[in-house]
Amino acid sequence: MATPAVQKGPGRGWPRHRPNLRFREPAPLLFLTAILLQLAPSSAFYLPGLAPVSFCQKGEETETCKSNIEVFVNRLDSVESVLPYEYDVFDFCQNETEKRPSENLGQVLFGERIESSPYKFTFNKPEACKPVCMKPYNPQDRQSADKLSFIKKGILLNYQHHWIIDNMPVTWCYDVEDGQKFCNPGFPIGCFVTQDGRPKDACVINSEFNKKNTYYVFNHVDIVITYHSGKNKEWEGARLVAAKLVPKSYNHADLSHLNCEGPPMEIPAEDKEKKINIVYTYSVTFNEDEKIKWASRWDYILESMPHTNIQWFSIMNSLVIVLFLSGMVAMIMLRTLHKDIARYNQIDSAEDAQEEFGWKLVHGDVFRPPRKGMLLSVFLGQGTQIFIMMFITLFLACLGFLSPANRGALMTCAVVLWVLLGTPAGYVSARMYKTFGGEKWKTNVLLTSFLCPGIVFIDFFITNLILWVEGSSAAIPFGTLVAILAMWFGISVPLTFVGAYFGFKKRPIDHPVRTNQIPRQIPEQSFFTKPLPGIVMGGILPFGCIFIQLFFILNSIWSHQMYYMFGFLFLVFIILLITCSEATILLCYFHLCAEDYHWWWRSFLTSGFTAVYFFVYAVHYFFSKLQISGAASTILYFGYTLIMVLIFFLFTGTIGFFACFWFVNKIYSVVKVD
């Protein structure tokens, strides 16, 4: 199973080919919006982050139409470092009256720090070589030298700007091989030419960037804003449908002597005594385009997304695995079990009754409580909580409520759902623990409330300390940490206790057969029916169904690519559920036929072992796809990866366990046992 390759051009992290997409994310969103508009025609309704804004020329403003266009800036990040930084950390032009839009919980957890910028335009008013500010640097001044050094470090690590106009990312689109166009929702601070004259990253776009051991700063941007006019439409003014820019470098003498056609702005790497003045400028033009609709304005951004053929290949590959497993399970249920059950139920003599074999022989031990039943029940409770959270989140994302336009909504939804789903976790954990014959209900409910969430919080807190030390924008503020703890202790924990109360109040789950007092001796097992080989084999097929989708998810997290294909993700999620269930049922049946009745933990670990393959793939991705450098970035990468692996382990393990639990109860409920 090969990972889809990312073709790269000259310089690290520069994709050279991204075929165009032929489908649109907002379609289900618009369909739902249209229904709501039909239900309430007297007032307009838009989903979060997708309300259109109208723009008019200067002097024609109204309450619903404005002329000023503001540029907001997000954090700067890099594919070579896990550490993102706020815009203000770099010594760029600052807004005199800084204005931050309200941030939701998801944006804070993801480290998004959106703030206003000094780049402000008037609708349909072109500007050419407009000055913004000048930043002087004197090597004799320690503070000034440190600021310039930090900019050089950002250029060397290829940090990217992320600008936002009308809630839409400003993209840098450029031609690549085969006549294709790549649109990157960000543009670099600058670029660097090495000591041997090799241009790195964005320096390949301009032949003038040829001086050895030199940094080039992109201090000028040519911005093109495309709008759809409101002529003969039901709205007033115009609506923006695209925002693109091209970063450039010009060596301006000062604010009064601007030259947007001169040589590039150079910063020598070795000459540390030279005074430098960096003047930031911009040009902006407006284009009218009636063909692009406001509802499909994100389409041009998605030109850079992976082609859907790869996604469909992944889906078809997974469906083949599911069909194979379904056929195997059907064969067992309809042929093998049917014959076994028919034979067992037609026994006429006591002599024939002694000739039992296979899974029937362990009927008196198959429901014997497992060792470490307390821990298993806690894992099952947490896994149930995670499963419900993931299902609802992905379902809402498919409807368009959690689209990329509504920043931070995905993480906010997931966290809020997890907090509110403490009751199912407590109920399942308590009910299973009581079924196992446990009596320490206080310990059970406390472990359900604090064990797995505590591990995640400790990991998260340690990584956050590293981010604090490094001064990264991804560091969670202390107040937010207190708020998360308050949600955990004030909402999730009480709800878990409520669920545990009802779980312990219920009677234990009735098993179809009685358990013998003396355990049956398990015969010598072959290699394939031993616990470890079976568990290792059990995680291969589920991982094979998701590894391509996993590649795109890791790209969106660590390579800062936009992920929005939640329809594919939800379909793969359903396939994963089926695959984990069927693979666990198959292996469980084989082990019971080998007279090994220790299936409780084995069913959980068989599908849960998929998380181990997840971790191995994340390690492979780190060394083969990323260019991350530095101990802090490496620790952060594996710290966050371990959190994802733990969540995935609990989720897949719980799915496999309950599938096997249903299967075992089903087959032993139809067998007549004296």
Side-chain angles (χ1 to χ4, degrees):
M1 295 180 294
T3 302
V6 176
Q7 299 179 1
K8 297 182 180 180
R12 291 179 288 180
W14 286 78
R16 303 180 61 186
H17 178 70
R18 283 290 192 279
N20 295 334
L21 294 178
R22 295 186 179 181
F23 68 102
R24 300 173 179 174
E25 168 65 12
L29 186 62
L30 293 176
F31 179 73
L32 181 62
T33 305
I35 294 176
L36 294 171
L37 286 172
Q38 291 294 327
L39 295 176
S42 59
S43 59
F45 174 84
Y46 294 96
L47 294 177
L50 291 173
V53 179
S54 297
F55 293 90
C56 299
Q57 295 189 25
K58 190 72 172 179
E60 301 178 1
E61 303 96 330
T62 63
E63 293 183 359
T64 60
C65 192
K66 59 182 183 179
S67 61
N68 294 327
I69 300 176
E70 291 186 89
V71 177
F72 289 89
V73 291
N74 203 342
R75 64 178 185 175
L76 285 83
D77 52 34
S78 169
V79 296
E80 301 182 31
S81 175
V82 176
L83 303 171
Y85 290 100
E86 290 191 55
Y87 180 84
D88 289 345
V89 174
F90 292 90
D91 192 33
F92 300 133
C93 299
Q94 308 294 326
N95 192 19
E96 295 180 358
T97 57
E98 183 175 316
K99 180 175 62 176
R100 287 181 178 268
S102 59
E103 297 173 343
N104 56 42
L105 180 61
Q107 288 178 287
V108 176
L109 293 177
F110 270 129
E112 293 195 16
R113 299 292 186 268
I114 299 177
E115 57 189 89
S116 58
S117 75
Y119 295 86
K120 302 183 187 300
F121 320 127
T122 300
F123 176 73
N124 220 7
K125 180 184 178 182
E127 299 281 1
C129 208
K130 181 83 171 179
V132 182
C133 73
M134 184 179 73
K135 294 290 183 178
Y137 297 98
N138 184 3
Q140 307 301 326
D141 183 10
R142 178 65 180 273
Q143 186 177 6
S144 178
D146 289 343
K147 291 180 179 179
L148 184 61
S149 177
F150 194 74
I151 291 178
K152 290 181 180 179
K153 179 183 176 182
I155 294 175
L156 199 61
L157 292 175
N158 195 24
Y159 270 84
Q160 306 272 321
H161 286 280
H162 294 281
W163 290 6
I164 301 168
I165 292 179
D166 191 27
N167 199 35
M168 185 171 50
V170 182
T171 60
W172 175 28
C173 297
Y174 51 90
D175 294 327
V176 291
E177 62 182 13
D178 300 330
Q180 298 292 327
K181 185 177 290 291
F182 178 77
C183 290
N184 184 27
F187 65 96
I189 298 174
C191 62
F192 179 65
V193 178
T194 61
Q195 182 69 44
D196 56 0
R198 180 173 60 88
K200 291 180 58 180
D201 302 319
C203 279
V204 300
I205 65 175
N206 194 334
S207 59
E208 294 184 1
F209 300 157
N210 52 20
K211 188 172 292 188
K212 296 181 179 179
N213 205 22
T214 302
Y215 296 91
Y216 292 91
V217 179
F218 290 130
N219 59 333
H220 176 87
V221 287
D222 287 333
I223 302 174
V224 178
I225 298 177
T226 306
Y227 64 91
H228 184 93
S229 69
K231 298 175 182 178
N232 302 323
K233 298 291 191 306
E234 65 273 10
W235 71 81
E236 180 184 9
R239 292 177 178 176
L240 307 188
V241 294
K244 302 179 181 180
L245 61 74
V246 178
K248 295 182 178 179
S249 179
Y250 295 120
N251 189 5
H252 307 290
D254 52 50
L255 289 173
S256 58
H257 298 82
L258 301 178
N259 182 13
C260 289
E261 295 180 354
M265 181 67 215
E266 301 174 355
I267 303 178
E270 296 181 348
D271 188 358
K272 300 181 180 180
E273 302 298 326
K274 180 181 178 181
K275 294 183 178 180
I276 296 174
N277 294 329
I278 301 179
V279 179
Y280 291 91
T281 57
Y282 71 89
S283 298
V284 59
T285 56
F286 293 84
N287 292 335
E288 181 179 347
D289 192 335
E290 300 296 325
K291 296 181 180 179
I292 304 177
K293 305 299 181 183
W294 182 88
S296 58
R297 64 178 187 162
W298 283 64
D299 284 9
Y300 78 96
I301 303 172
L302 304 177
E303 293 175 356
S304 60
M305 297 300 295
H307 199 275
T308 54
N309 286 344
I310 299 177
Q311 298 280 1
W312 283 118
F313 169 77
S314 171
I315 299 297
M316 296 305 297
N317 176 58
S318 302
L319 286 176
V320 170
I321 295 176
V322 168
L323 290 176
F324 169 75
L325 290 176
S326 299
M328 293 289 290
V329 172
M331 182 183 67
I332 291 174
M333 296 294 290
L334 299 179
R335 296 186 59 187
T336 308
L337 285 178
H338 177 74
K339 291 180 180 180
D340 288 346
I341 293 170
R343 183 174 63 251
Y344 295 145
N345 291 339
Q346 292 174 0
I347 294 176
D348 295 328
S349 64
E351 182 179 352
D352 293 334
Q354 302 300 322
E355 297 178 0
E356 298 174 351
F357 61 92
W359 55 271
K360 175 66 182 300
L361 290 173
V362 296
H363 67 79
D365 298 278
V366 71
F367 292 107
R368 189 176 302 280
R371 298 177 182 177
K372 308 294 183 183
M374 171 81 78
L375 184 61
L376 180 59
S377 63
V378 170
F379 283 173
L380 293 174
Q382 288 293 320
T384 303
Q385 185 178 14
I386 293 170
F387 164 70
I388 300 175
M389 175 199 74
M390 293 177 65
F391 180 85
I392 297 176
T393 301
L394 290 178
F395 181 74
L396 292 176
C398 287
L399 295 179
F401 285 96
L402 309 180
S403 70
N406 190 9
R407 292 176 175 82
L410 186 70
M411 178 60 74
T412 303
C413 178
V415 172
V416 171
L417 283 174
W418 181 87
V419 169
L420 297 177
L421 289 170
T423 302
Y427 178 83
V428 171
S429 178
R431 189 81 190 279
M432 294 306 303
Y433 181 61
K434 191 172 184 179
T435 302
F436 295 155
E439 298 178 353
K440 300 179 180 178
W441 65 271
K442 294 180 182 179
T443 306
N444 174 262
V445 68
L446 287 174
L447 287 177
T448 305
S449 302
F450 297 108
L451 179 60
C452 297
I455 294 174
V456 172
F457 184 81
I458 291 173
D459 189 329
F460 182 75
F461 184 75
I462 292 174
T463 55
N464 200 60
L465 283 178
I466 298 175
L467 292 170
W468 271 340
V469 173
E470 297 291 335
S472 172
S473 67
I476 307 302
F478 180 76
T480 305
L481 282 177
V482 173
I484 293 174
L485 287 174
M487 293 171 63
W488 179 16
F489 286 94
I491 302 176
S492 179
V493 172
L495 290 177
T496 305
F497 273 77
V498 171
Y501 169 77
F502 288 104
F504 279 110
K505 194 175 181 181
K506 285 267 191 177
R507 58 180 297 180
I509 299 175
D510 294 326
H511 300 309
V513 291
R514 295 188 301 270
T515 301
N516 296 333
Q517 292 184 354
I518 302 176
R520 178 185 175 87
Q521 185 177 0
I522 300 175
E524 183 68 24
Q525 300 290 302
S526 65
F527 175 78
F528 294 102
T529 57
K530 289 182 179 179
L532 186 59
I535 291 171
V536 172
M537 289 187 297
I540 293 177
L541 291 179
F543 178 76
C545 294
I546 65 166
F547 84 102
I548 293 180
Q549 195 68 224
L550 184 62
F551 171 77
F552 296 129
I553 293 174
L554 291 178
N555 268 350
S556 68
I557 296 174
W558 303 114
S559 296
H560 314 295
Q561 295 185 11
M562 194 173 299
Y563 188 90
Y564 83 111
M565 291 175 285
F566 296 107
F568 283 110
L569 185 60
F570 187 73
L571 186 57
V572 171
F573 173 79
I574 299 299
I575 292 175
L576 176 63
L577 296 182
I578 300 173
T579 310
C580 285
S581 302
E582 294 180 340
T584 308
I585 288 173
L586 278 175
L587 291 172
C588 179
Y589 176 73
F590 293 150
H591 293 144
L592 291 176
C593 288
E595 301 178 31
D596 186 352
Y597 51 84
H598 294 305
W599 63 273
W600 300 95
W601 270 107
R602 186 176 296 181
S603 63
F604 186 90
L605 296 176
T606 296
S607 54
F609 202 81
T610 310
V612 177
Y613 292 107
F614 179 0
F615 179 76
V616 172
Y617 185 81
V619 174
H620 164 74
Y621 182 86
F622 177 81
F623 288 105
S624 63
K625 303 298 180 184
L626 299 180
Q627 299 92 33
I628 291 178
S629 58
S633 294
T634 303
I635 293 173
L636 289 170
Y637 176 86
F638 285 103
Y640 288 128
T641 299
L642 288 175
I643 293 177
M644 291 188 288
V645 168
L646 175 61
I647 293 173
F648 197 70
F649 170 73
L650 296 173
F651 163 67
T652 54
T654 301
I655 297 302
F657 175 87
F658 282 115
C660 195
F661 183 79
W662 168 85
F663 174 76
V664 173
N665 276 273
K666 191 72 174 177
I667 63 174
Y668 284 97
S669 64
V670 294
V671 176
K672 294 179 181 179
V673 180
D674 296 331

